[in-house]
Amino acid sequence: MTTTDETVQVDQEALMAFVFRAVDEVGAALNSALVVMGDQLGYYRSMAEHGATTPAELAERTGTDEHYAREWLNAQAAGSYVGYDPETQRYALSPEQAIALTDETSPAFVPGLFQIAHGTMRDTPAILEAARSGTGYGWHQHNTDVHVGCERFFRPGYLANLVDAWLPALDGVVEKLQNGGRVADIGCGHGASTILMAQAFPGSSFVGSDYHRESIDTARERAREAGVTDRIRFEAADATAVDGEGYDLITMFDCLHDMGDPVGAAHHVREVIADDGTWMIVEPAAGDNVEDNLNPVGRVYYGFSTLLCTPASLSQEVGRALGTQAGPARIRDVVNTAGFSRFRLAAQTPFNNVYEVRP
Ligand SMILES: C[S@@+](CC[C@H](N)C(=O)[O-])C[C@H]1O[C@@H](n2cnc3c(N)ncnc32)[C@H](O)[C@@H]1O
């Protein structure tokens, strides 16, 4: 124990434990770029396809320089993202690592989360300025890795849960969609959720909207690729100005807290939803109190809240800044203020709370 002054005592062991924890985290921070590298250069896919590899083989198969492949493999092995066998001097993915790092249809797929995190961190200088001035930084101002990473992070979870678990958890919604319902997906980004619903319910009609015009252009392209343009229309519009009326189902996936004026958006939903319609709000998993969210998932979301979602909300009119960890009470407050009378938590996953809201 070292005494630094009369009152403060520093436990050297605790200090060094903290320093080593920080070293581990700097490794993790660098790993966000390394995972993006492995994803975008095709390193992981090559390893999943060809099995145990040397740096030279990996470099040759991916058309990259061996020096980079070697250092990347060593960094990945040190972080337990790949295995290393000193006998053969080969590096390999376990079956579980191969799924998590290459299978975009698995809810365990993680490169999308790294891509959005890495893209978000690249825009940190702008966020520092915004924090000083108290202004915001819009979703549309970020680099493309934020938009594509968001799509690739969320889509596997929607694929696993939306049609099979979340919609069936809502009262009477599946029947309405099977019989041909009207659906608006607000803040749809690249349209992953809209397209999955359109594929599952070919007799219903879907409008996907987002204020970010480039995201809507991408959503239209994705709908063409999926062959669902006969039942989907995408439009660039703020949540407070979405077209149409009498919607049986209105959905918002991970976007209410990003909006500057969530109450204004909720008022608009109240105007365009059918009297017996359902509003499904999917938000990041969170409890109402800070202490409920002091866990690994909450840590990730508070990080995104600081660097991405809160600045996004502050960049818009009103700037309500609900925060990524808003929790059920604050979301209920928003919908009640807009005149909705029924609110319940209908489903949950480790990453999401799914709310059912009705007039
Ligand atoms: C985290 S992304 C989620 C995108 C998509 N729903 C998904 O799950 O992949 C948040 C989305 O909200 C959109 N957004 C933010 N403010 C909005 C507003 N006022 N009106 C409409 N969309 C908005 C952003 O453009 C962005 O596409």
Side-chain angles (χ1 to χ4, degrees):
M1 203 72 84
T2 309
T3 305
T4 54
D5 63 33
E6 280 171 11
T7 51
V8 181
Q9 290 202 317
V10 175
D11 178 337
Q12 288 299 328
E13 243 178 69
L15 178 61
M16 286 321 289
F18 185 79
V19 168
F20 278 112
R21 179 167 169 244
V23 168
D24 195 31
E25 304 226 347
V26 172
L30 288 167
N31 199 42
S32 79
L34 294 167
V35 172
V36 168
M37 188 173 173
D39 178 50
Q40 296 188 1
L41 293 180
Y43 286 158
Y44 293 128
R45 286 187 293 282
S46 171
M47 292 176 76
E49 193 180 336
H50 298 285
T53 186
T54 64
E57 289 165 353
L58 182 64
E60 191 182 340
R61 286 179 186 132
T62 54
T64 57
D65 183 278
E66 186 183 333
H67 300 90
Y68 288 88
R70 182 183 307 282
E71 296 312 308
W72 179 85
L73 280 166
N74 287 335
Q76 293 292 280
S80 301
Y81 271 59
V82 310
Y84 176 63
D85 179 355
E87 295 267 300
T88 60
Q89 301 192 349
R90 285 179 173 271
Y91 303 78
L93 294 177
S94 69
E96 297 75 23
Q97 286 166 333
I99 289 172
L101 294 166
T102 67
D103 182 357
E104 304 229 8
T105 65
S106 166
F109 182 70
V110 292
L113 182 53
F114 279 98
Q115 187 175 1
I116 185 173
H118 185 57
T120 299
M121 287 189 280
R122 290 216 307 279
D123 291 329
T124 302
I127 302 305
L128 300 192
E129 276 316 302
R132 286 194 181 102
S133 63
T135 53
Y137 195 76
W139 182 259
H140 62 282
Q141 293 175 278
H142 284 281
N143 64 80
T144 318
D145 274 332
V146 168
H147 310 135
V148 176
C150 174
E151 175 188 18
R152 294 178 78 213
F153 168 44
F154 284 124
R155 189 177 181 282
Y158 300 159
L159 190 60
N161 297 297
L162 172 53
V163 171
D164 290 339
W166 294 347
L167 291 175
L170 308 176
D171 192 21
V173 165
V174 168
E175 292 73 19
K176 280 187 194 160
L177 298 190
Q178 281 167 343
N179 294 329
R182 289 166 55 78
V183 182
D185 187 14
I186 298 176
C188 68
H190 288 183
S193 50
T194 336
I195 291 168
L196 286 172
M197 291 190 287
Q199 286 170 325
F201 301 102
S204 287
S205 63
F206 299 83
V207 180
S209 67
D210 197 289
Y211 92 110
H212 184 219
R213 189 168 289 281
E214 284 77 12
S215 283
I216 287 299
D217 291 342
T218 303
R220 289 186 179 131
E221 217 173 286
R222 300 278 193 266
R224 267 193 298 279
E225 286 160 10
V228 292
T229 48
D230 57 335
R231 67 207 85 137
I232 286 195
R233 180 166 64 79
F234 284 108
E235 63 173 34
D238 190 87
T240 54
V242 171
D243 224 16
E245 59 183 2
Y247 289 108
D248 300 298
L249 174 66
I250 294 186
T251 54
M252 286 189 188
F253 292 87
D254 203 77
C255 60
L256 185 66
H257 65 271
D258 290 302
M259 295 176 189
D261 186 9
V263 172
H267 274 294
H268 187 66
V269 170
R270 185 67 192 85
E271 281 164 22
V272 298
I273 199 167
D275 286 341
D276 65 344
T278 300
W279 178 17
M280 177 169 75
I281 303 174
V282 178
E283 277 287 296
D288 289 324
N289 306 302
V290 169
E291 59 271 29
D292 301 334
N293 306 320
L294 301 184
N295 53 57
V297 172
R299 185 185 189 196
V300 167
Y301 280 139
Y302 276 131
F304 281 126
S305 193
T306 312
L307 299 170
L308 189 59
C309 309
T310 298
S313 177
L314 289 173
S315 75
Q316 300 181 18
E317 289 285 305
V318 181
R320 173 79 179 254
L322 281 175
T324 311
Q325 293 288 266
R330 264 180 283 169
I331 303 296
R332 184 195 290 117
D333 186 45
V334 167
V335 307
N336 286 351
T337 308
F340 286 90
S341 59
R342 286 174 284 174
F343 174 92
R344 76 179 172 98
L345 180 65
Q348 261 185 314
T349 69
F351 292 110
N352 289 111
N353 284 351
V354 180
Y355 304 108
E356 180 187 61
V357 183
R358 306 205 60 185

